[in-house]
Amino acid sequence: MTKRIDSAPLAAIRLALKDQAITLQPVINQVSALPVDADLEYYFVPADFMKFYQPYHRPGQPLKNLKLINYERPAISLSFYFKHKYKIKRDIDPQEVMRHLREHREDLLNKSLTSVLSIREQKELQETDDLLRQIRDNPEAYQYCFSNYHHYYKYWYCSYRFFEDEDKTQAASGTEHLLKHTERLEGNHIERLNIIFVDPYYITRQVPQDNKLIDRELDSYPTRIRQGTITLYLRKV
């Protein structure tokens, strides 16, 4: 039985991307302001190279370090935005608070064994000791909550439009979140990258929101004479 691979060979993929990836710019291309984030690695790849990534396309069983944002759905327009996700837990048992404080105190004490604590850390150690005593003696004197709000877990999302039929007459839209590089508490740095496929022709021009073929029909008339608000289109038969 073949063991399922959960990670993609990022070094080899980055090497291929040197020849495949293209640069998109707002105004020139149909793309909004591009995300700027040191932990976000993403590439725009023309649909012509999409078959190269077929081995990494695993619906329902995604790879841990590579995300094909819109495989088989090359974008004709793109926009990016982020969400600040967080949790908050209220009505905390004082004993849970005590455990949290003890762990923090232990981390500081362990650090003091190998290096000198900064002034801020020394102050934190003193405050932690004081809080441990006060909560132990009078747990009802405080209100408690846990939250990761100030860790600023910022998740980037990519919204894209694509043609959903071969004749390119109907457009639809999709949204996917992007993977970020992360660093675990143990200091391990986990790299993740994103591939966003684009239609190299339509990413450079607007596609009408009504998804009609009128723009492509008029493009087939090479001669144009404008009179007021009406333009005459001509082509030889």
Side-chain angles (χ1 to χ4, degrees):
M1 182 177 180
T2 303
K3 183 179 179 181
R4 187 168 66 91
I5 299 175
D6 292 324
S7 298
L10 297 192
I13 290 174
R14 288 192 181 100
L15 191 62
L17 286 167
K18 289 183 178 180
D19 296 323
Q20 298 174 354
I22 62 174
T23 301
L24 299 182
Q25 301 177 25
V27 181
I28 296 176
N29 303 117
Q30 300 301 309
V31 57
S32 68
L34 299 174
V36 177
D37 191 323
D39 292 325
L40 190 66
E41 184 177 359
Y42 61 95
Y43 300 91
F44 300 116
V45 174
D48 296 342
F49 296 107
M50 201 152 50
K51 288 184 178 179
F52 174 85
Y53 296 90
Q54 195 278 330
Y56 311 116
H57 178 54
R58 300 202 326 202
Q61 296 180 327
L63 295 167
K64 294 180 179 179
N65 61 346
L66 174 67
K67 186 165 186 178
L68 307 180
I69 297 299
N70 56 333
Y71 188 80
E72 296 182 332
R73 295 179 170 185
I76 58 178
S77 66
L78 291 161
S79 61
F80 297 89
Y81 62 95
F82 67 85
K83 291 182 179 180
H84 175 195
K85 289 193 173 182
Y86 61 91
K87 296 179 180 178
I88 185 166
K89 181 180 178 182
R90 300 180 176 87
D91 301 323
I92 308 299
D93 186 325
Q95 292 303 315
E96 189 175 353
V97 176
M98 294 285 283
R99 283 194 296 271
H100 182 87
L101 290 171
R102 289 193 190 100
E103 289 175 1
H104 183 57
R105 181 177 183 274
E106 185 176 348
D107 288 342
L108 290 171
L109 288 175
N110 288 338
K111 184 175 182 180
S112 70
L113 297 176
T114 57
S115 61
V116 178
L117 297 181
S118 67
I119 295 176
R120 178 184 61 80
E121 289 169 331
Q122 293 176 27
K123 183 179 179 182
E124 280 187 19
L125 183 57
Q126 181 61 52
E127 289 176 345
T128 302
D129 283 334
D130 292 341
L131 280 171
L132 278 168
R133 287 192 296 270
Q134 293 171 28
I135 295 174
R136 180 194 60 202
D137 296 339
N138 189 10
E140 304 302 324
Y142 292 87
Q143 288 184 327
Y144 315 101
C145 75
F146 284 124
S147 178
N148 58 1
Y149 180 86
H150 286 104
H151 287 270
Y152 296 113
Y153 288 119
K154 185 169 62 175
Y155 291 84
W156 283 97
Y157 285 79
C158 171
S159 290
Y160 57 93
R161 294 182 69 223
F162 63 95
F163 288 120
E164 58 182 348
D165 63 326
E166 292 185 1
D167 294 330
K168 297 185 177 182
T169 60
Q170 298 294 324
S173 61
T175 300
E176 292 286 342
H177 77 273
L178 302 175
L179 302 179
K180 291 174 56 174
H181 297 328
T182 58
E183 187 169 348
R184 300 301 186 191
L185 294 176
E186 299 81 10
N188 298 325
H189 191 67
I190 301 176
E191 293 186 336
R192 298 183 172 98
L193 63 84
N194 305 271
I195 305 294
I196 303 170
F197 299 103
V198 297
D199 182 316
Y201 177 71
Y202 285 101
I203 201 69
T204 63
R205 57 182 297 172
Q206 289 188 343
V207 174
Q209 293 292 333
D210 58 10
N211 305 330
K212 292 182 179 178
L213 286 171
I214 184 65
D215 62 324
R216 269 165 282 174
E217 179 185 352
L218 294 179
D219 280 347
S220 66
Y221 291 80
T223 303
R224 306 178 184 188
I225 301 174
R226 179 173 178 177
Q227 180 65 30
T229 60
I230 298 297
T231 300
L232 170 66
Y233 298 83
L234 301 96
R235 67 183 177 194
K236 289 184 178 180
V237 297

